[in-house]
């Protein structure tokens, strides 16, 4: 719950200026709002008028290395290309078409048409008329949204495509698709008119408090710049009324080879791909005398821009400070060294803010800070952001100012810097160790950034070498001076954002300015870095006794059984270097506690975890682990409790020590408890003020009959009723009997190395022979028909959720049939609601089954739309369900789904997380280990009749539950 809310809150500060096209993925980039703008040439990107003398540092003239595994070139027509061979995932390639033009290039008559152009690339090209492009790609196993997508930002448009490389025809066709996007989009009049509704639906989906706050903050963030006038989604007036020749003019002017690049990363032969690119894209004619692509500045401003904003739908109070700076390009070693200094300073100030948030009566629930490049093409920014308790924004701002000023006056400490350097070096070493198994989608991003922003393309080896060379050269004074330069009165903005509600008053802009002035003369003492070098475990436990080991052949797993009752499953893999994943479970969970103690039991794992472990409180533990790649956390779920973890092989023993301490070294920390409770109250206090939170909570209450164990949002009274003593007791009860647990390890290890460590730290866990199991509490869950409307919010938008639930006969065939029915229906609904009707931006059909405490299924259809379109679109959903039930799936759609599932299953089998899940479920449910090898056979054998039967069983319209959110002004209509 907290993570979901946090994602929403953070999105408000990202100020989405990028708009995803054909799927669910949304990329984030620059955005804005304000007055007149000035186009400046590339050579004058907001540089100071007075040139400073070049430093004597020889690194200022030494260029950064370029990853020699990347081949680059420029075609005769000006198009640039990047090619890199990478074997993960096997038989796949990530392709990108980059266009160095976005919404900033629009005229007043074209507002929103850069983004609309992106949409039209999927709706008809020379070689793929109308909807044939998506249809073809799905037929070869490319999932719409996940593998096929695009985004439009202020400065660029990027198209993303993942395709197979083991089929020559399909791979060649992928490059044809990129070429079609580059210069052969048809802009059919009928398709344009159909797509208007889709893009306007996307505009509608983004309405709400976040969008309103964004519109108010953009003039401060991007003061007096064109960015403010060119938010990529555009205006509804233009989207509804533009003429086809207007969008064609934008495409013709800015989609040209000298502003384009192609990137290809994947499992292929580099020479062959280079030949394909040259043959394919040299066909695009070179433009004669093209207009210069302008670069737009974000001007400096002397005055600090201040804003206090309130909104009825904002769920949490927030404080934001931004210090804008001319962008710093990284071309030389000196540039890179300067960037490392900024990263080190950002890391250390964020650690200080995190530490402050964990203290008693903390001034904020959460805070972070850092220097980020790429706020715009000419600006970087240092930001400090905090989520505060209700009514405490002034205190939160004061705390942010104080911590920044503390560093400006007194600097960081040497121990902080040493720790930050070690952490940074550890990260680079991990990337180097993983270089042979890193996924192509992670590599292609740096190539896109290089084309668009001239960001360096180093590669893991060069990066590690640079860290080893440059980090030792960076002194404490270097970082302190760098950080001090972040803070300046010029080009600064401060904003506070809070809920608009009775009895709550935001600080005035004058009060905020007063705080900015007061901090200059405030008494601030230096920071004291409290560190400890105590071992995690002072006296190592006596190793346990291995009873026997056996092989589970179908899974490639070795099972170890120990005298204390623990069973351990081990699966060494080479899927991802430098990664080991671990999980464990024991039956019981919160089901063993009364309704009155449920909240305490449910929070016990989080409460104890926040207290630290063994000799370290949580703050000290973070410092101790800063140079290690390891994470361990306990959980207490409804039916099971356990410990999850991950680590680098070099930190395996540390991970196992942490696991051991979860059972034997839990801490009761009053300060951590008080902080956790305060943060929980702050995060949950105003969720219902947000329409989506209100809607989700309302649906949940109806589906669960408001049962206390199924509440989405606990009340302040329920949170206050949780006590540390009882939470600690419950935690100890759940983890008292280590012998009742089963552990699973998968990843980069060998049996001979890991077995002695497991014998020492896992086989030595205490044994009580408790033989516990979870209880079936027979909690209510609605399955019969209902129709319920909710009214919340002031924007013209509705959310629709159609739900189906009931008992389920759980077997592998039924689970596969249900999954395929969901995917087939999803394709049908997308084609109808989005492509044909233009009534939604996205629609999802999904769900699944659970086996415990009893086998049940739950499926749903969800989408957003205009309020007056609800009835029509719900009727369309019912019609598609009825068609699937009466006629079964089309052979084309079933073939698409089968191909997608086949390719995804092949890829999943080379993932550590997938095998961890397989081992856990096999052990938990007592499944036949050989069943996993039969999955592909089941996919191949599912018939149209199986999917039709599943649609009848799991989308029963007689038992459909319909929930609709309307804006408040619709309530009395």
């Amino acid at each position: 719950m907290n993570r979901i809310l946090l994602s929403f809150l953070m999105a408000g500060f990202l100020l989405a200026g990028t708009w995803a096209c054909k799927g669910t993925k949304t990329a984030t980039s620059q955005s804005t709002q304000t007055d007149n703008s000035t186009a400046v040439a590339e050579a004058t990107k907001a540089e100071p008028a007075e040139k400073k003398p070049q430093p004597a540092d020889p690194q200022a003239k030494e260029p950064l290395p370029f990853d020699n595994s990347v081949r680059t070139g420029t075609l005769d027509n000006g198009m640039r290309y990047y090619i890199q061979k990478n074997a993960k995932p096997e038989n796949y390639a990530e392709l990108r078409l980059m266009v160095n033009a976005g919404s900033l290039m629009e005229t007043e008559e074209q507002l929103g048409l850069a983004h609309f152009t992106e949409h039209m690339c999927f709706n008809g090209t020379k070689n793929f008329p109308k909807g044939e492009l998506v249809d073809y790609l799905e037929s070869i196993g490319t999932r719409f949204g996940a593998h096929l997508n695009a985004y439009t930002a202020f400065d660029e448009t990027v198209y993303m495509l993942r395709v197979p490389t083991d089929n020559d025809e399909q791979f060649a066709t992928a490059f044809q698709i990129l070429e079609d996007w580059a210069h052969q989009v048809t802009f059919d009049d009928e398709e344009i008119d159909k797509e208007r509704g889709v893009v306007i639906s996307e505009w509608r989906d983004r309405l709400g408090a976040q969008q309103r706050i964004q519109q108010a903050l953009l003039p401060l963030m991007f003061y007096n710049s064109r960015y403010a006038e060119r938010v990529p989604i555009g205006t509804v007036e233009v989207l509804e009324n533009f003429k086809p020749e207007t969008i064609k003019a934008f495409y013709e002017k800015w989609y040209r080879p000298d502003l384009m690049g192609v990137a290809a990363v994947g499992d292929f032969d580099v020479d062959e791909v280079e030949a394909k690119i040259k043959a394919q894209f040299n066909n695009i004619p070179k433009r004669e005398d093209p207009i210069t692509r302008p670069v737009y500045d974000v001007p400096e401003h002397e005055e600090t821009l201040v804003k206090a904003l309130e909104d009825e739908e904002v769920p949490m109070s927030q404080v934001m400070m931004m210090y804008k700076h001319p962008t710093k390009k990284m071309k030389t070693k000196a540039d890179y060294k300067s960037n490392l200094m900024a990263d080190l300073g950002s890391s250390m100030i964020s650690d200080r803010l995190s530490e402050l948030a964990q203290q008693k009566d903390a001034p904020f629930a959460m805070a972070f800070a850092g220097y980020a490049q790429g706020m715009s093409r000419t600006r970087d920014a240092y930001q400090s952001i905090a989520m505060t308790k209700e009514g405490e924004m002034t205190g939160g701002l004061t705390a942010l100012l104080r911590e920044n000023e503390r560093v400006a006056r007194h600097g960081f400490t040497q121990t902080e810097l040493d720790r930050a350097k070690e952490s940074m070096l550890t990260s680079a070493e991990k990337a180097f160790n993983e270089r042979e198994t890193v996924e192509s989608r992670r590599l292609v991003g740096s190539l896109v950034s290089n084309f668009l922003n001239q960001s360096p393309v180093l590669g893991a080896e060069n990066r590690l070498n640079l860290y080893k060379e440059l980090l030792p050269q960076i002194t404490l004074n270097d970082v302190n001076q760098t950080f001090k330069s972040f803070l300046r009165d010029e080009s600064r903005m401060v904003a506070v954002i809070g809920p608009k509600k009775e009895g709550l008053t935001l600080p005035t802009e004058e009060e905020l300015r007063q705080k900015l002035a007061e901090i200059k003369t405030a008494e601030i003492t230096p920071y004291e870095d409290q560190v400890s070098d105590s071992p995690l475990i002072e006296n190592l436990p006596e190793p346990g006794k291995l009873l026997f080991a056996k092989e589970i052949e179908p899974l490639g797993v070795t099972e170890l059984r120990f005298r204390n009752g623990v069973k351990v499953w081990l699966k060494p893999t080479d899927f991802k270097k430098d990664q080991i994943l671990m999980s464990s479970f024991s039956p019981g969970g919160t089901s063993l506690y009364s309704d009155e103690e449920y909240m305490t039991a449910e929070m016990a794992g989080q409460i104890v975890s926040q207290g630290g472990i063994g000799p370290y409180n949580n703050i000290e533990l973070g410092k101790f682990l800063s140079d290690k790649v390891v994470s361990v956390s306990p959980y207490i779920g409804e039916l099971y409790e356990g410990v999850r973890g991950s680590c680098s092989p070099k930190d395996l023993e540390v991970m196992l020590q942490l696991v051991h301490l979860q059972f034997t070294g839990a801490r009761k920390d009053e300060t951590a408890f008080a902080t956790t409770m305060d943060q929980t109250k702050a995060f949950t206090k105003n969720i219902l003020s947000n329409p989506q939170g209100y809607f989700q909570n309302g649906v949940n209450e109806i589906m669960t009959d408001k049962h206390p164990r199924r509440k989405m949002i606990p009340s302040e009274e329920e949170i206050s009723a949780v006590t540390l003593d009882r939470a600690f007791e419950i935690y100890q009860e759940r983890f008292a009997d280590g012998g009742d647990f089963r552990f699973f390890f998968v990843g980069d290890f060998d049996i001979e190395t890991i077995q002695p460590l497991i014998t020492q730290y896992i086989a030595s866990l205490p044994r009580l022979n408790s033989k516990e199991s979870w209880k079936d509490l027979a909690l209510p869950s609605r399955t019969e028909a209902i129709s319920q409307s909710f009214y919340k919010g002031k924007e013209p938008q509705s959310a629709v959720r159609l739900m189906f639930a009931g008992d389920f006969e759980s077997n592998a065939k039924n689970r596969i049939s249900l999954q395929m029915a969901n995917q087939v229906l999803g394709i049908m609904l997308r084609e109808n609601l989005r492509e044909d009707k233009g009534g939604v931006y996205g629609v999802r059909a999904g769900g699944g089954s659970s086996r415990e405490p009893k086998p049940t299924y739950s499926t749903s259809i969800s989408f957003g739309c205009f309020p007056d379109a609800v009835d029509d679109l719900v009727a369309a959903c019912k019609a598609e369900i009825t068609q699937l039930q009466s006629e079964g799936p089309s052979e084309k759609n079933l073939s698409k789904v089968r191909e997608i599932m086949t390719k995804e299953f092949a890829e999943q089998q080379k993932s550590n997380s997938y095998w961890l899940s397989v081992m856990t479920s096999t052990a938990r449910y007592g499944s036949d280990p050989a069943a996993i090898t039969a999955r592909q056979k089941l996919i191949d054998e599912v018939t149209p009749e199986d999917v039709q039967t599943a649609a009848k069983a799991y989308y029963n319209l007689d038992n459909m539950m319909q929930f609709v959110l309307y804006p408040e002004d619709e309530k009395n209509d």
Side-chain angles (χ1 to χ4, degrees):
M1 179 172 59
N2 288 2
R3 290 194 299 271
I4 295 172
L5 177 60
L6 179 60
S7 297
F8 170 79
L9 294 172
M10 293 303 176
F13 290 110
L14 293 176
L15 300 173
T18 299
W19 306 87
C21 177
K22 287 286 181 174
T24 57
K25 178 173 179 175
T26 302
T28 300
S29 185
Q30 314 97 327
S31 52
T32 50
Q33 184 170 39
T34 288
D35 268 320
N36 295 329
S37 310
T38 303
V40 294
E42 283 282 354
T44 62
K45 285 190 178 178
E47 292 292 338
E50 182 179 346
K51 296 287 184 179
K52 294 182 179 180
Q54 289 292 322
D57 184 357
Q59 291 176 339
K61 296 183 179 181
E62 190 173 353
L64 285 171
F66 192 91
D67 186 354
N68 61 15
S69 70
V70 178
R71 183 177 298 180
T72 65
T74 303
L75 303 179
D76 293 339
N77 57 15
M79 178 176 276
R80 187 155 179 79
Y81 63 83
Y82 302 77
I83 308 169
Q84 185 174 18
K85 180 176 178 59
N86 187 65
K88 183 79 171 180
E90 185 179 354
N91 297 325
Y92 278 97
E94 292 284 347
L95 305 182
R96 300 291 185 268
L97 175 69
M98 301 91 74
V99 185
N100 189 22
S103 61
L104 290 182
M105 278 70 250
E106 297 166 347
T107 65
E108 290 295 322
E109 294 74 28
Q110 295 172 334
L111 297 179
L113 298 194
H115 172 238
F116 206 113
T117 298
E118 172 212 316
H119 276 242
M120 292 308 299
C121 286
F122 294 81
N123 285 334
T125 66
K126 177 183 177 181
N127 292 286
F128 295 91
K130 298 192 175 183
E132 291 184 14
L133 176 62
V134 175
D135 197 46
Y136 165 75
L137 288 170
E138 286 185 329
S139 74
I140 65 170
T142 299
R143 184 179 289 279
F144 187 68
H147 307 144
L148 169 65
N149 218 316
Y151 74 83
T152 302
F154 291 107
D155 280 292
E156 73 260 10
T157 308
V158 177
Y159 298 85
M160 301 168 281
L161 178 60
R162 191 182 83 158
V163 292
T165 58
D166 55 350
N167 182 300
D168 291 341
E169 181 181 353
Q170 293 175 2
F171 192 38
T173 301
F175 288 95
Q176 181 62 65
I177 291 170
L178 296 188
E179 187 202 344
D180 273 23
W181 285 339
H183 75 128
Q184 296 182 142
V185 179
T186 54
F187 293 102
D188 178 81
D189 289 5
E190 181 182 351
E191 290 298 310
I192 288 175
D193 286 338
K194 286 167 60 177
E195 200 65 19
R196 292 181 199 268
V198 175
V199 178
I200 291 172
S201 293
E202 184 176 354
W203 166 85
R204 179 209 60 237
D205 287 352
R206 297 174 185 273
L207 296 176
Q210 176 182 329
Q211 182 267 345
R212 294 191 293 269
I213 297 296
Q214 170 182 309
Q215 289 298 108
L217 286 181
L218 287 174
L220 281 69
M221 295 181 64
F222 299 98
Y223 176 76
N224 252 9
S225 75
R226 187 179 177 90
Y227 286 85
E229 305 166 346
R230 295 294 185 274
V231 176
I233 195 62
T235 67
V236 172
E237 182 181 6
V238 171
L239 296 175
E240 286 180 335
N241 299 300
F242 74 85
K243 293 181 175 11
E245 54 264 30
T246 307
I247 192 171
K248 292 176 184 176
F250 179 87
Y251 182 73
E252 177 67 22
K253 186 174 184 178
W254 299 112
Y255 276 59
R256 61 189 207 224
D258 60 299
L259 294 180
M260 290 184 180
V262 174
V265 180
D267 189 13
F268 49 60
D269 181 271
V270 171
D271 291 334
E272 292 179 4
V273 170
E274 185 174 38
K276 287 179 187 292
I277 289 175
K278 288 180 177 179
Q280 199 81 52
F281 295 99
N282 264 325
N283 294 330
I284 303 176
K286 180 179 181 179
R287 298 293 177 86
E288 299 299 330
D289 300 320
I291 185 173
T292 300
R293 193 273 197 209
V295 176
Y296 294 95
D297 188 23
V298 178
E300 296 267 359
H301 50 89
E302 290 187 10
E303 181 186 12
T304 296
L305 305 177
V306 177
K307 198 81 170 178
L309 299 167
E310 59 181 3
D311 194 288
E312 295 92 336
E313 298 173 12
V314 168
M316 192 170 181
S317 300
Q318 306 156 58
V319 178
M320 175 184 185
M321 298 191 302
M322 176 183 284
Y323 302 78
K324 290 168 272 188
H325 297 268
T327 194
K328 300 175 181 178
K329 295 296 183 183
M330 284 189 287
K331 298 180 179 180
T332 68
K333 280 190 177 182
D335 296 333
Y336 198 74
K337 184 177 179 181
S338 177
N339 183 69
L340 290 178
M341 294 176 196
D343 287 348
L344 289 165
S346 298
S347 172
M348 289 186 284
I349 186 64
S350 285
D351 284 346
R352 285 193 183 185
L353 294 174
S354 176
E355 181 175 329
L356 187 58
Q358 297 178 68
Q359 294 177 2
K360 190 174 183 180
D361 299 322
F364 38 69
M366 180 174 294
F368 63 92
Y371 189 92
Q373 293 184 317
M375 169 187 165
S376 74
R377 288 283 174 93
T378 67
R379 292 286 156 187
D380 298 339
Y382 170 72
Q383 294 186 80
S384 292
I385 298 174
M387 312 298 170
T388 74
K389 300 173 188 176
E390 189 172 278
E392 298 187 16
M393 283 180 285
T394 302
L397 174 61
T398 300
L400 285 182
L401 288 168
R402 181 176 291 274
E403 292 311 307
N404 281 298
E405 184 68 16
R406 193 188 310 277
V407 179
R409 289 189 200 177
H410 305 294
F412 295 105
T413 67
Q414 188 63 49
T415 51
E416 287 178 289
L417 179 59
D418 292 343
R419 201 161 52 239
K421 285 183 178 181
E422 289 170 354
S423 178
M424 193 175 286
L425 186 59
T426 296
S427 175
E429 289 172 341
K430 179 174 176 58
F432 175 77
N433 293 336
E434 292 178 344
R435 67 194 184 282
E436 300 297 332
T437 54
V438 66
E439 293 189 351
S440 296
R441 62 182 172 82
R442 289 179 55 189
L443 295 174
V444 75
S446 66
L447 308 184
V448 174
S449 294
N450 179 264
F451 174 76
L452 296 171
N453 301 300
Q454 298 80 55
S455 300
V457 178
L458 299 174
E461 184 174 4
N462 287 333
R463 183 178 296 108
L464 179 59
N465 290 338
L466 283 168
Y467 278 26
K468 288 181 176 179
E469 176 186 352
L470 299 178
L471 284 176
Q473 299 173 10
I474 296 173
T475 67
L476 183 60
N477 184 63
D478 289 336
V479 180
N480 288 340
Q481 292 304 312
T482 297
F483 186 90
K484 193 171 183 178
S485 72
F486 295 167
L487 310 176
R488 59 177 188 156
D489 295 341
E490 300 81 16
S491 295
R492 176 175 62 175
M493 64 156 285
V494 176
V496 295
I497 305 158
K500 183 178 182 180
K501 57 191 296 187
E502 187 175 349
L504 185 63
T505 303
L506 268 66
T508 66
E509 294 182 7
E510 183 56 39
E511 288 172 336
L512 296 176
R513 292 186 186 279
Q514 183 177 344
K515 291 298 177 185
L516 293 174
E518 288 176 354
I519 202 67
K520 299 295 185 183
T521 57
E523 182 178 345
I524 301 175
T525 60
Y527 171 82
E528 294 183 13
D529 190 20
Q530 303 292 334
V531 294
S532 172
D533 59 358
S534 299
L536 276 173
I537 301 178
E538 185 73 37
N539 299 307
L540 297 183
E542 286 294 321
K545 173 75 171 175
L546 175 67
L547 297 180
F548 64 87
K550 70 173 185 178
E551 302 300 315
I552 304 176
E553 292 294 344
L555 298 180
V557 164
T558 298
E559 181 184 50
L560 307 179
R561 294 200 182 185
F562 296 94
R563 177 173 290 171
N564 68 341
V566 167
K567 299 176 184 177
V568 179
W569 285 15
L570 305 174
K571 184 176 177 64
T573 71
D574 58 2
F575 304 143
K576 189 174 184 64
K577 290 295 183 183
D578 213 43
Q579 182 189 71
I580 299 174
L581 302 182
M582 179 275 298
S583 71
S584 64
F585 72 82
S586 171
T590 62
S591 70
L592 302 183
Y593 298 89
S594 67
D595 290 350
E596 291 72 24
E597 288 196 316
Y598 166 73
M599 181 62 62
T600 302
E602 198 268 340
M603 294 191 68
Q606 177 188 359
I607 289 169
V608 174
S609 181
Q610 290 299 309
I613 201 76
Y616 292 105
N617 64 33
N618 206 38
I619 295 171
E620 294 166 341
L621 182 64
K623 295 176 180 180
F624 174 79
L625 297 177
S626 63
D627 64 339
K628 301 171 179 62
V629 181
V630 61
S631 173
V632 172
S633 59
Y635 71 90
I636 301 177
E638 182 176 315
L639 305 179
Y640 297 92
E641 61 272 352
V643 182
R644 302 184 181 100
S646 63
C647 71
S648 168
K650 70 180 180 61
D651 296 314
L652 174 59
E653 184 166 10
V654 174
M655 182 178 77
L656 291 172
Q657 289 181 336
L658 290 169
V659 171
H660 184 91
L661 289 170
Q662 298 298 331
F663 292 82
T664 63
R667 292 168 54 101
K668 187 190 293 187
D669 190 309
E670 292 281 358
T671 298
F673 172 74
T675 301
T676 300
M677 295 297 101
D678 285 346
Q679 289 176 345
T680 302
K681 291 174 184 177
F683 283 131
T684 57
K685 190 175 185 67
N686 293 305
I687 292 180
L688 295 182
S689 66
N690 177 261
Q692 290 299 323
Y694 180 83
F695 181 52
Q696 292 178 30
N697 184 69
V699 172
N700 181 73
E701 287 186 342
I702 292 173
M703 291 295 295
T704 64
D705 198 24
K706 296 185 178 180
H707 196 281
R709 290 178 181 265
R710 290 290 186 265
K711 289 189 71 171
M712 188 179 107
I713 307 169
S715 68
E716 189 165 337
E717 292 74 20
E718 288 170 323
I719 297 170
S720 296
V722 175
T723 67
L724 174 58
D725 287 343
R726 185 56 183 144
F728 193 75
E729 287 176 358
I730 290 174
Y731 181 90
Q732 288 187 311
E733 290 167 4
R734 294 296 85 230
F735 291 89
D737 187 359
D740 197 33
F741 282 73
R742 303 186 74 163
F743 287 82
F744 310 89
F745 294 81
V746 59
D748 186 14
F749 62 82
D750 58 74
I751 303 293
E752 292 73 20
T753 300
I754 199 172
Q755 182 172 325
L757 295 172
I758 289 174
T759 303
Q760 178 152 47
Y761 295 110
I762 304 298
S764 60
L765 293 175
R767 177 179 186 177
L768 301 180
N769 292 313
S770 55
K771 303 297 182 184
E772 285 184 325
S773 185
W774 49 261
K775 292 182 181 178
D776 183 358
L777 301 174
L779 298 180
S781 180
R782 189 161 194 137
T783 59
E784 71 275 13
I786 186 176
S787 180
Q788 180 69 50
S789 297
F790 301 86
Y791 299 88
K792 189 75 171 176
K794 50 190 176 184
E795 301 291 357
Q797 55 187 189
S798 283
V800 178
R801 187 173 302 171
L802 310 178
M803 302 182 69
F804 310 82
D807 294 335
F808 184 71
E809 184 180 348
S810 187
N811 58 56
K813 181 177 180 180
N814 283 351
R815 291 192 291 272
I816 289 287
S817 298
L818 170 58
Q819 186 177 355
M820 297 183 85
N822 286 335
Q823 295 194 30
V824 167
L825 182 59
I827 293 173
M828 296 170 66
L829 292 173
R830 186 196 74 223
E831 291 175 346
N832 186 328
L833 274 63
R834 174 176 167 136
E835 309 298 347
D836 293 340
K837 293 182 177 296
V840 303
Y841 173 58
V843 56
R844 180 182 182 276
S849 63
S850 60
R851 304 190 213 184
E852 296 172 335
K854 68 175 184 177
T856 59
Y857 77 90
S858 175
T859 57
S860 67
I861 298 167
S862 57
F863 57 88
C865 64
F866 284 107
D868 59 5
V870 168
D871 292 343
D872 178 55
L873 295 174
V874 169
C877 289
K878 291 180 178 179
E880 294 297 330
I881 291 171
T882 300
Q883 179 178 334
L884 184 58
Q885 292 172 338
S886 61
E887 301 177 13
S890 68
E891 184 54 45
K892 181 173 74 173
N893 281 343
L894 183 57
S895 177
K896 285 181 182 179
V897 169
R898 182 177 285 115
E899 187 69 14
I900 289 170
M901 290 180 64
T902 294
K903 292 195 170 178
E904 288 181 344
F905 179 54
E907 188 175 341
Q908 286 170 351
Q909 292 181 83
K910 297 177 182 179
S911 161
N912 287 332
S913 59
Y914 171 76
W915 282 104
L916 189 65
S917 174
V918 166
M919 290 193 294
T920 302
S921 62
T922 299
R924 180 174 292 178
Y925 305 128
S927 306
D928 179 2
I932 190 62
T933 61
R935 178 176 172 83
Q936 184 57 55
K937 186 171 183 290
L938 285 171
I939 293 173
D940 293 337
E941 292 178 349
V942 168
T943 66
E945 291 73 24
D946 292 330
V947 174
Q948 182 179 12
T949 299
K952 291 178 180 179
Y954 310 128
Y955 286 94
N956 183 353
L957 292 174
D958 292 335
N959 290 333
M960 186 179 81
M961 294 166 277
Q962 177 176 316
F963 304 101
V964 183
L965 173 68
Y966 291 101
E968 292 169 13
D969 61 10
E970 299 262 333
K971 189 168 187 177
N972 298 317
D973 288 356

